[in-house]
Amino acid sequence: MSSIPSADAGRPAGPKSAPRRRRPAAAPPLALIYALLLLPVAFLAVFNYVPAASALYHAFTSWDVGEASTWIGLGNFRTMLADDVFRKSLRNLAKLGSFVLVVNMTVPFLVAEMIFHLRQERWRYLSRVAVVMPMVVPGVVTFMLWRYIYSDAGVLTELLRALDLRGWIHGWLSHPKTALWAVAFVGFPFAHGFNVLIYYAGLTNIPTDVLEAAEVDGLGKAGRILRIHIPLILQQVKLLFIVTVIAIVNGFEGIYILTDDGGPGYETMVPGLYMYQNGFTYQKMGYACAIGLAMLLFLLIFTIVVNRLMRTEKYHPGAPRA
Amino acid sequence: MKLTPSSHLWRGLLALVLFLTFFPFIFMVMTSLKDTHQFFHTFWLPAFPLHLENYANAFRDLSRFIWNSLLVTGVSITGILFFSAVAGFLFARYDFPGRSVLYYGIIMMMMIPGVLMLVPSFVWVKKLGLLDTYWVMVLPYVAGGQILGIYLLRGFFSEIDNDLFEAAQVDGAGLLRQLWHVAIPLAKPVLGVVAIVSALGVWNGFLWPLVTTSSEDVMVLTVGMMRYNSRVFGMYGRMFAGYTISAIPLGILFAFSTRLFMKGITSGALKAGTAPAARARPAPRQPGRYASRFHVYLPGVDVMIVITKRIKVGS
């Protein structure tokens, strides 16, 4: 056993693979167990399984509001391939997503390193508290703040005026050239609290003797980060990679608040927002379900592929390696 | 770590990053205390006198939404904790026909992001006649929120020694008494984590209440903020006072449970309850820092791997 897929590592064993759990002598009546499980299962069935089944079915139908749906097979997916707006939304997502992915993977790592290098535990703790603190502001309000920052009376405009760069002032979110980049820079400097905490947890997992050995061997700080820290936190890197991509693909709440409809034109349109608009603005429910299904399939395949390609090993102190 | 120039540099950089991260929020609080004249004339600095009436005005506009948010969040969390504890306990402790099917049937839903089912879910709750009620938020939040809770609590309960429950059994405690008097008190730290994760999710929820509620009687704060924004257009002090108020409830939660909060944020991804597990079991094998080892997993992915493995083994 030299390589263990990381996702398995911390998983409590599944019900069937827990042989030590035997049925106690005085087992309660089965009817009681089922009665207690009835509510949770019923909730899940009604509010998760029914919509999921409906989404799956209606992805293959033409379904306008107030009308019965008609089966059109892969029609929606063919429409999608030929749909200029959808293709534009994919290009936008690719641009926006690759930038957001890179900065949200790297900056939090650097911040976690900076915190990890603080000498006193008190400061390390306070710094972690500080990076998490912005999360008490509702996400919606944070986006509203950024919309303000980019606005005519906003911080960016005032900053440029103070620096005597009046020529640069323009509507960051309304100009076709800058809108997508304005969206991308929301959250600057990207010290995302969740990501920092995950990286930091990874760094504290590295056994002290490994770090000390590296120091004794004369590895400099950069060498330690490159050759010790990064290889030993690959699990966290993989986790954040997956979580961040999922969040980018699904997240259109911010764009909805910043630009309302993916404008100017379709400059900030992303597939999620397009799905939303098809469902609630254009009333093309079947098409909306198809876009949702396409996004889900993409994410499932992506997750499986990343898990297959990035096999990470758990570090076993003292355990002989095969 | 020696005190080298580079470590000064790192600390300076860290301070700069933190300052920039906080800047919008500092600006928000600062401007929330200005009137429009002060806003335009002393843009970058605090201005006196402080205009606390901005807060009174903002609160008057937002109090209904805040109350609705508190209600929806409170009821949802109660439901989530109740369902997670009961189902997690049953799945961990007892063997009954259909256990695996039910358990994986529940956990599998973690793979499907709710946002991708927005449209069919909306049509469905409309058919159920739930639009514009508290229920349209509470019921789906409980249904979705319980999944991670059941997962975490089942994991927690199956790590607890059976002896505790067997002792209770000998004393004549049935399933319900074991659950209430033994299991739930032990699981308090994990329940706390589930409560925090749920609170964050429900309080921040935006798209679902946006599409399912339109009456201000039941509208939650996130959606209400959109209306508030247009209502206070141009009145910057009042607008920022409203923004600041929106952060107070989670701010209080954060202040009173900082450690739990920080654990809660990552618990979707990091195995929760290292401490309670260590308490319920013999001392961990490795001393010192090794004991605080976190295992990384991603519930959805995890389940997928389990399921694909089962299919392989079965065929």
Side-chain angles (χ1 to χ4, degrees):
Chain A
M1 282 279 282
S2 69
S3 106
I4 303 166
S6 73
D8 271 16
R11 177 176 57 85
K16 272 196 176 155
S17 53
R20 66 197 167 83
R21 207 139 314 287
R22 60 211 138 82
R23 200 172 153 86
L30 285 176
L32 178 62
I33 293 179
Y34 289 128
L36 286 172
L37 282 177
L38 184 68
L39 268 184
V41 171
F43 265 61
L44 196 83
V46 173
F47 291 106
N48 290 58
Y49 270 92
V50 170
S54 165
L56 187 63
Y57 171 75
H58 286 110
F60 302 97
T61 65
S62 168
W63 185 25
D64 293 342
V65 168
E67 287 173 40
S69 53
T70 44
W71 182 268
I72 53 166
L74 292 173
N76 284 327
F77 296 93
R78 271 194 289 272
T79 313
M80 215 183 288
L81 289 178
D83 184 342
D84 284 338
V85 179
F86 183 72
R87 281 157 55 166
K88 173 82 182 163
S89 77
L90 286 181
R91 279 199 299 277
N92 286 340
L93 183 68
K95 272 190 234 169
L96 182 70
S98 40
F99 176 80
V100 172
L101 181 66
V102 169
V103 292
N104 277 304
M105 294 290 291
T106 50
V107 176
F109 173 70
L110 294 176
V111 173
E113 281 285 351
M114 291 173 201
I115 296 176
F116 188 65
H117 279 87
L118 291 175
R119 282 160 75 214
Q120 288 173 344
E121 170 54 30
R122 192 164 58 106
W123 286 108
R124 289 200 292 264
Y125 179 69
L126 288 177
S127 310
R128 272 178 293 150
V129 171
V131 292
V132 172
M133 215 140 68
M135 290 177 86
V136 305
V137 182
V140 168
V141 173
T142 306
F143 287 118
M144 289 175 180
L145 271 174
W146 279 91
R147 194 179 60 179
Y148 160 74
I149 288 174
Y150 290 129
S151 73
D152 291 342
V155 169
L156 199 53
T157 307
E158 291 296 327
L159 182 68
L160 291 173
R161 196 170 287 162
L163 295 172
D164 213 20
L165 290 167
R166 278 156 210 267
W168 291 23
I169 295 171
H170 66 288
W172 299 98
L173 283 168
S174 55
H175 195 282
K177 282 252 165 61
T178 53
L180 193 63
W181 290 108
V183 171
F185 267 87
V186 164
F188 180 83
F190 318 108
H192 194 289
F194 173 82
N195 297 18
V196 173
L197 285 193
I198 299 269
Y199 276 131
Y200 185 82
L203 290 175
T204 51
N205 281 350
I206 302 174
T208 3
D209 47 8
V210 174
L211 293 174
E212 276 160 12
E215 204 163 350
V216 170
D217 288 349
L219 262 180
K221 199 170 267 178
R224 259 176 280 160
I225 290 171
L226 286 175
R227 300 210 204 140
I228 310 287
H229 291 184
I230 292 179
L232 287 179
I233 60 162
L234 273 185
Q235 278 193 8
Q236 279 76 10
V237 174
K238 176 168 111 176
L239 171 87
L240 283 179
F241 185 48
I242 294 174
V243 173
T244 311
V245 169
I246 291 178
I248 289 170
V249 173
N250 287 339
F252 61 92
E253 186 178 296
I255 296 178
Y256 175 84
I257 290 166
L258 289 164
T259 69
D260 193 37
D261 58 357
Y266 297 105
E267 289 305 319
T268 58
M269 181 64 82
V270 289
L273 185 59
Y274 194 48
M275 174 196 76
Y276 174 88
Q277 287 193 342
N278 271 293
F280 295 103
T281 314
Y282 312 142
Q283 318 284 7
K284 292 198 275 185
M285 319 282 250
Y287 194 39
C289 289
I291 296 173
L293 183 62
M295 289 163 67
L296 176 66
L297 286 179
F298 168 78
L299 288 177
L300 284 182
I301 293 167
F302 165 80
T303 321
I304 293 171
V305 168
V306 172
N307 264 300
R308 284 281 149 82
L309 292 182
M310 285 180 74
R311 297 228 154 172
T312 48
E313 286 177 45
K314 216 167 81 183
Y315 181 76
H316 298 283
R321 298 290 195 89
Chain B
M1 220 58 56
K2 266 174 263 152
L3 197 71
T4 58
S6 81
S7 75
H8 280 301
L9 185 73
W10 281 71
R11 247 177 282 171
L13 262 178
L14 180 61
L16 181 69
V17 168
L18 287 181
F19 172 74
L20 288 174
T21 305
F22 273 97
F23 180 77
F25 306 106
I26 298 171
F27 186 85
M28 168 180 89
V29 176
M30 186 179 81
T31 311
S32 72
L33 294 161
K34 294 179 184 175
D35 63 16
T36 310
H37 180 83
Q38 289 168 327
F39 170 78
F40 282 111
H41 288 87
T42 27
F43 186 82
W44 296 105
L45 293 169
F48 296 95
L50 301 178
H51 287 272
L52 287 168
E53 75 271 12
N54 286 340
Y55 279 86
N57 290 332
F59 186 75
R60 218 181 26 243
D61 287 342
L62 294 173
S63 56
R64 178 76 211 182
F65 305 136
I66 294 174
W67 162 248
N68 289 337
S69 273
L70 287 175
L71 188 74
V72 169
T73 310
V75 176
S76 303
I77 291 179
T78 313
I80 290 169
L81 290 183
F82 180 70
F83 284 6
S84 315
V86 170
F89 180 71
L90 293 174
F91 284 125
R93 281 276 301 152
Y94 299 106
D95 207 354
F96 47 89
R99 178 170 77 158
S100 288
V101 173
L102 283 178
Y103 179 69
Y104 286 115
I106 292 174
I107 300 303
M108 209 162 68
M109 271 293 137
M110 228 174 332
M111 279 191 294
I112 302 181
V115 68
L116 300 184
M117 303 193 298
L118 202 62
V119 176
S121 299
F122 168 78
V123 176
W124 175 232
V125 295
K126 191 177 171 191
K127 207 175 280 177
L128 294 175
L130 292 173
L131 286 190
D132 251 336
T133 60
Y134 291 124
W135 297 115
V136 80
M137 294 173 274
V138 169
L139 300 179
Y141 282 155
V142 172
Q146 65 173 348
I147 303 176
L148 180 71
I150 291 174
Y151 181 78
L152 290 178
L153 279 145
R154 200 206 71 86
F156 175 78
F157 285 136
S158 55
E159 280 181 17
I160 295 180
D161 272 343
N162 245 343
D163 307 358
L164 272 172
F165 295 107
E166 267 154 26
Q169 186 111 43
V170 170
D171 289 344
L175 184 158
L176 294 176
R177 278 228 228 135
Q178 284 180 42
L179 174 65
W180 188 251
H181 292 291
V182 184
I184 289 181
L186 276 173
K188 266 184 195 156
V190 189
L191 288 171
V193 165
V194 175
I196 299 247
V197 177
S198 315
L200 276 169
V202 176
W203 187 267
N204 283 323
F206 173 64
L207 287 168
W208 181 247
L210 177 74
V211 299
T212 56
T213 57
S214 54
S215 133
E216 298 203 351
D217 292 340
V218 295
M219 194 175 277
V220 291
L221 186 60
T222 44
V223 183
M225 286 310 287
M226 297 288 283
R227 301 223 169 163
Y228 179 72
N229 250 335
S230 37
R231 196 173 298 162
V232 298
F233 184 78
M235 297 184 265
Y236 290 98
R238 199 155 147 192
M239 180 175 95
F240 285 112
Y243 290 2
T244 310
I245 287 176
S246 78
I248 290 174
L250 283 185
I252 293 173
L253 186 69
F254 183 66
F256 282 100
S257 53
T258 313
R259 279 174 197 273
L260 199 61
F261 195 99
M262 295 186 17
K263 201 156 114 189
I265 289 169
T266 50
S267 69
L270 298 179
K271 188 174 179 186
T274 319
R279 206 183 306 138
R281 301 177 104 190
R285 265 167 298 152
Q286 296 100 358
R289 292 178 73 166
Y290 297 3
S292 68
R293 214 155 31 109
F294 280 101
H295 298 299
V296 175
Y297 66 79
L298 186 68
V301 180
D302 192 29
V303 173
M304 212 151 52
I305 288 172
V306 173
I307 291 167
T308 46
K309 269 189 190 153
R310 275 169 178 258
I311 293 167
K312 263 188 225 154
V313 170
S315 59

